[in-house]
């Protein structure tokens, strides 16, 4: 009877959970609508590129949408020479601004991302790129994580799962029959005791 | 005079800690209780003396005693009170002293509050903690002495680094240092377990509490640093995969992995040796991070802390590593897992192993990325850069794996691949998750993203996070239902579980927040006073450009009147560059208007110094940044709640077995 009640809880519990969730969501949604972007799609259409968009001075303003995209793609791959961790796009240091202007010029000339990156690599060395080019010794840096992601699960499987499989007869693991037999023996002993006590009470 | 006393105290500290190490080792070898008590007393005296030395330094700061070189270098007469206090750790020597002070406080605390069951290993704990302290004090009296005099005393100091004059910098370093130094306690416990040759019954309980404490502090510290970068550096981001940030992330990852391996050890008596390794490596990498920061081996924004003590750090790290590795090689074989029949297979313990794998892989990736430029320069003598694009190639995949592992791992049970309610629950959650995911995607304006990969990543990430959160909540629901919805009773007796629930939800919220980076907007506008610009529906009218004096800084303030669809957002949003008397640079004071869904973030990149009538601004819309701050709060709260659990580790699997 009790078991039936508990299992009957499950679907109603889920419904309850969902109702609560819906309620919370609707309350928050109504509240958040006021703050949410909702209406605004105007600047989004011009600027939203998934990545951050900079359209400063005349040059960049003159770039069409594809070239804007290409400019952004390229500039995020170049480091700000004077700061730490930032791309030229994120920095307004004088050096970065120079680089940005060069990138804009070259994008306007119709150069591709690879060509522009090559241009900068030739001048400043691979140091100017925010991630090392995937060639030569640098493959170590790129390969290590991938190798680890592939080899890791294999190693775990080999060293932990496979070796620690339960082996009957080792590490104190006994076969089921032995355990059953032992339990039955104990039960027999208990029965005997019980019968003995009953007999004693009758006397 | 006082300065000499401070130096003398540190020198005495060095002696007492060396004595403490000796007494600790002798006590351990001879099983001599009173020798241990003597070692503990040495540690306590060290703490008191170190605190006195620190107080002397603080006092000198407030006295503006510029006869101390450190005070002259890091403060000036115009420095406000709060920042005079925090100037203590604004440079290398002081932050070393703070680090040492915190470590000595926690060490004393650990030595006085140990569990009775741990009595056998405590001498080893005392010895290892004081060995670290002894080295720190050696460093403080040789290469990193904050009490160096500079006579004759000047009338004014150089002033504090303006970047550090921010309330977040008042709490970020101490919080992070608390995390780093508290990680020393689990590491000392693991060295002690190796020294003793076994894990004692109370071991797990103490190690778990200290780890949780350290983890909570580290979490808070790291994000406080991110928050500081966000509002102070003015590049509209909070995480740049900067070497210094990375070196704080690596110990955090190890601490997280340690917490999960402690759970398996608690429940099954397995993974003991992994626990020991992780506990040690967590602390080792917190030191290693300090080495990276302080040695100037990789220059970064934190380069104000550079000094020529790199080699010293390296010797110490090498010594620490070899000692522990040797100890491990000798002793680890005697630390055996509990003889448990059915483990691994498809079960919670396996899910936890997979979590470990993901976390450690992330640690390796961060480590490789951080150190690669040095390695590459050494091997090919070609300078390379490893920045965000590299890390962002891999980190999302690890995140994806973690989101799935969190959901399934929490649903599964030990020794059993069965999920209460069956795998059906996973499917139902997958269906139900569509709802909140759709809601989030709609209101978050995710479809504004044009780039297909960024859009796909967000859709998958948001959906899976919601699914994972529902799976987690279902598990909580099942457990409370089994107690007939006695929520209070459940909470009281499952603090560890509730803490973990909060922390995991925090992780998912954080991931929702991180995903916002895929759809940020930005714009640069050069405006004359009176002109307006528009971004994401916000109309910003550049009302005025003023010069004001604020505490010790001169601010060049741009004032904005911000409206959104005719609704007033801010009457006077101030965006400024500030000039501190002691530095030639102009620092950013950002203008920020934040909602749950996005932040409007404005910086002034330039202004017309001649006319004062026009300026160039950078406007950013950063989605869901606030979720990251909320997530941190949840995670830290979860960690703290977990500390108070009385049941975890109280009866470890081994204890049950030995009692049986």
């Amino acid at each position: 009877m009790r078991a039936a009640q508990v299992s009957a809880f499950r679907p109603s519990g889920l419904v309850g959970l969902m109702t609560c969730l819906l309620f919370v969501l609707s309350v928050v949604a109504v509240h958040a609508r006021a703050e949410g972007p909702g209406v605004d799609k105007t600047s989004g259409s011009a600027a939203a590129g998934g990545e951050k968009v900079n359209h400063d001075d005349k040059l960049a303003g003159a770039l069409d949408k594809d070239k804007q995209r290409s400019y952004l793609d390229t500039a995020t791959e170049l480091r700000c020479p004077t700061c730490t961790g930032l791309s030229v796009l994120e920095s307004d240091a004088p050096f970065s601004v120079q680089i940005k202007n060069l990138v804009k010029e070259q994008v306007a000339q119709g150069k591709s991302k690879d060509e522009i990156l090559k241009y900068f690599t030739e001048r400043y060395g691979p140091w100017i790129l925010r991630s090392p080019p995937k060639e030569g010794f640098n493959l170590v840096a790129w390969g290590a994580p991938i190798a680890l992601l592939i080899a890791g699960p294999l190693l775990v499987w080999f060293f932990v799962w496979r070796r620690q499989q339960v082996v009957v007869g080792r590490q104190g693991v006994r076969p089921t029959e032995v355990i059953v037999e032992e339990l039955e023996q104990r039960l027999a002993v208990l029965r005997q005791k019980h019968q003995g006590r009953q007999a004693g009470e009758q006397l | 005079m006082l300065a000499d006393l401070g130096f003398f105290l540190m020198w005495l500290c060095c002696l007492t800690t060396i004595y403490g190490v000796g007494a600790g080792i002798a006590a351990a070898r001879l099983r001599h209780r009173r020798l241990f008590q003597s070692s503990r007393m040495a540690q306590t005296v060290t703490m008191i003396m170190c605190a006195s030395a620190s107080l002397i330094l603080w006092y000198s700061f407030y006295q503006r005693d510029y006869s101390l070189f450190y005070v002259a270098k890091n403060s000036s007469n115009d420095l406000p009170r709060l920042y005079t206090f925090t100037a203590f750790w604004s440079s290398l020597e002081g932050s070393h002293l703070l680090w040492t002070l915190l470590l000595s406080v926690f060490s004393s605390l650990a030595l006085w509050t140990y569990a009775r069951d741990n009595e056998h290993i405590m001498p080893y704990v005392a010895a290892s903690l004081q060995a670290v302290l002894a080295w720190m004090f050696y460093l403080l009296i040789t290469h990193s002495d904050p009490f160096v005099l500079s006579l004759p005393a000047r009338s004014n100091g150089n002033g504090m680094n303006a970047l550090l004059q921010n309330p977040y910098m008042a709490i970020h370093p101490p919080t992070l240092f608390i995390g780093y130094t508290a990680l020393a306690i689990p590491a000392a416990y693991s060295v002690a377990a190796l020294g003793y040759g076994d894990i004692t019954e109370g071991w797990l309980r103490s190690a778990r509490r200290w780890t949780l404490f350290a983890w909570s502090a580290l979490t808070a510290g790291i994000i406080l640093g991110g928050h500081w970068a966000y509002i102070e550096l003015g590049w509209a981001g909070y995480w740049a995969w900067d070497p210094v940030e990375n070196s704080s992330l690596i110990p955090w990852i190890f601490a997280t992995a340690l917490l999960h391996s402690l759970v398996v050890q608690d429940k099954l008596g397995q993974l003991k040796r992994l626990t020991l390794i992780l506990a040690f490596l967590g602390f080792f990498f917190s030191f290693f991070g300090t080495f990276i920061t302080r040695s100037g081996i990789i220059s970064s924004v934190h380069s104000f802390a550079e000094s020529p003590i790199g080699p010293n750090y390296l010797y110490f790290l090498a010594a620490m590593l070899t000692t522990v590795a040797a100890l491990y090689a000798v002793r680890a074989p005697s630390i055996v897992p509990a003889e448990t029949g059915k483990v691994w297979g498809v079960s919670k313990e396996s899910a936890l192993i997979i979590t470990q794998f993901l976390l450690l892989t992330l640690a390796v990736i961060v480590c490789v990325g951080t150190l690669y430029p040095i390695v590459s320069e050494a091997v090919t003598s070609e300078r390379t850069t490893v920045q965000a694009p590299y890390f962002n190639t891999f980190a999302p995949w690890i995140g994806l794996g973690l989101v799935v592992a969190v959901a399934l791992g929490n649903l599964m049970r030990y020794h059993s691949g069965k999920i209460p309610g069956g795998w059906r629950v996973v499917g139902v959650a997958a269906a139900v998750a569509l709802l909140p995911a759709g809601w989030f995607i709609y209101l978050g304006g995710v479809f504004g993203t044009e780039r297909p990969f960024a859009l796909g990543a967000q859709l998958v990430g948001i959906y899976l996070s919601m699914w994972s959160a529902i799976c987690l909540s279902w598990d909580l629901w099942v457990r409370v239902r089994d107690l007939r919805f006695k929520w209070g009773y459940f909470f009281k007796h499952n603090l560890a579980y509730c803490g973990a629930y909060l922390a995991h939800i925090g992780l998912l919220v954080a991931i929702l927040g991180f995903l916002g980076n895929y759809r940020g907007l930005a714009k640069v506008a050069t405006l004359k006073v009176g002109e307006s610009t528009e971004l994401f529906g916000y109309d910003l009218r550049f009302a005025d450009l003023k010069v004001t004096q604020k505490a010790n800084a001169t601010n060049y303030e741009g004032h904005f009147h911000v409206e959104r669809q005719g609704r007033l957002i801010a009457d006077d949003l101030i965006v400024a560059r500030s000039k501190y008397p002691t530095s030639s640079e102009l620092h950013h004071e950002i203008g920020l208007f934040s909602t749950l869904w996005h932040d409007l973030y404005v910086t002034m990149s330039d202004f017309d110094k001649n006319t004062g009538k026009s300026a160039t601004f950078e406007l950013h819309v950063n989605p869901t940044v606030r979720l990251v701050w909320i997530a941190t709060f949840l995670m830290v709260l979860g960690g703290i709640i977990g500390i108070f659990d009385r049941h975890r580790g109280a009866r470890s699997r081994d204890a049950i077995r030995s009692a049986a």
Side-chain angles (χ1 to χ4, degrees), chain B residues 53-111:
Chain B
S54 309
L55 283 177
I56 289 174
L57 189 58
W58 261 306
Y59 180 76
S60 308
F61 265 109
Y62 277 106
Q63 290 298 308
R64 310 254 184 246
D65 180 0
Y66 298 120
S67 65
L68 258 72
F69 180 69
Y70 187 75
V71 175
K73 193 173 77 170
N74 294 299
S75 70
S76 51
N77 289 335
D78 58 342
L79 199 65
R81 278 180 155 231
L82 172 69
Y83 298 126
T84 307
F85 185 77
T86 67
F88 184 92
W89 55 76
S90 64
S91 188
L92 176 78
E93 291 84 357
S95 42
H96 266 159
L97 185 56
L98 178 70
W99 211 100
T100 315
L101 173 67
L102 288 169
L103 183 58
S104 64
V105 169
F106 291 139
S107 301
S108 308
L109 215 63
L111 293 183

Side-chain angles (χ1 to χ4, degrees), chain A residues 13 32 35 37 40 43 48-50 52-53 69 73 79 84 86 92 126-127 129-130 132 138 141 152 156 161 164 166, chain B residues 235 242 300-301 341 344 350 353 357 372 382-383 385 387 390 443 448 450-451 477 518 522 536-537 564 597 605 622:
Chain A
E35 310 287 359
D40 172 77
S43 73
K52 299 221 160 170
V53 181
R69 175 74 63 82
D73 278 353
R79 69 168 285 167
T84 324
L86 300 185
D92 50 7
W127 174 80
L129 302 176
R130 290 187 82 204
N138 294 338
V156 168
W161 276 0
Q164 306 243 357
V166 182
Chain B
W235 58 275
D242 171 77
S300 72
V301 267
W344 317 119
S350 296
I353 284 280
F357 158 68
Y372 181 72
E382 191 173 72
R383 291 181 69 201
T385 307
Q387 288 182 358
Y390 175 85
L443 282 177
E450 277 180 14
R451 209 169 292 242
W477 175 268
Y518 281 118
F536 204 58
R564 192 168 199 219
W597 291 103
S605 37
N622 300 327

Side-chain angles (χ1 to χ4, degrees), chain A residues 68-177:
Chain A
Q68 270 279 5
R69 175 74 63 82
S70 164
Y71 160 66
L72 294 168
D73 278 353
T74 315
T76 37
E77 289 292 325
L78 293 169
R79 69 168 285 167
C80 157
T82 46
C83 16
T84 324
L86 300 185
S87 71
V88 286
L89 205 56
E90 291 158 317
S91 137
D92 50 7
F95 207 160
S96 305
V97 174
Q98 275 179 24
I99 293 179
K100 275 193 274 191
N101 287 334
L102 273 172
V103 174
K104 271 174 215 154
E105 253 172 51
Q106 302 200 356
V107 167
Q109 287 164 14
K111 279 199 188 178
S112 74
K113 178 182 169 184
D114 289 343
E115 285 169 339
I116 302 173
L117 292 182
K118 200 167 156 244
Y119 169 89
F120 280 102
T121 319
E122 276 165 8
R123 269 153 194 79
Y124 299 97
W127 174 80
I128 198 75
L129 302 176
R130 290 187 82 204
S131 52
K134 298 182 184 84
E135 56 189 31
F137 185 69
N138 294 338
L139 286 176
V140 174
W142 288 100
I146 297 169
L148 198 65
L149 279 170
I150 295 167
L154 292 176
L155 287 176
V156 168
W157 178 74
F158 189 78
F159 282 107
V160 184
W161 276 0
R162 216 184 65 130
R163 285 207 338 196
Q164 306 243 357
Q165 285 296 323
V166 182
V167 183
V168 174
R170 272 181 55 200
Q171 293 182 331
V173 180
R174 298 167 303 162
T176 320
E177 301 86 59

Side-chain angles (χ1 to χ4, degrees), chain B residues 17 144 211 240 399 425 487 497 527 605 611:
Chain B
T17 43
S144 166
T211 311
V425 171
W487 289 92
Y497 178 86
L527 300 174
S605 37
T611 61

Side-chain angles (χ1 to χ4, degrees), chain B residues 576-641:
Chain B
R577 293 304 285 267
S578 49
K579 166 93 183 65
Y580 288 82
T582 48
S583 141
S584 62
E585 270 178 71
L586 286 172
H587 294 279
H588 283 285
E589 301 288 340
I590 62 155
L592 186 65
F593 169 74
S594 72
T595 69
L596 188 62
W597 291 103
H598 59 260
D599 286 5
L600 174 68
Y601 183 106
V602 189
T603 59
M604 188 195 282
S605 37
D606 203 3
F607 58 93
D608 192 329
K609 282 137 191 134
N610 301 324
T611 61
K613 288 291 169 223
S614 88
T616 306
F617 296 97
E618 252 182 67
L619 309 138
H620 296 263
V621 169
N622 300 327
T624 53
V625 174
R626 199 176 258 189
L627 288 190
V628 178
W629 315 143
I630 294 173
T632 315
F633 175 74
L634 290 176
M635 288 168 100
V636 174
L637 185 68
I640 293 171
I641 289 175

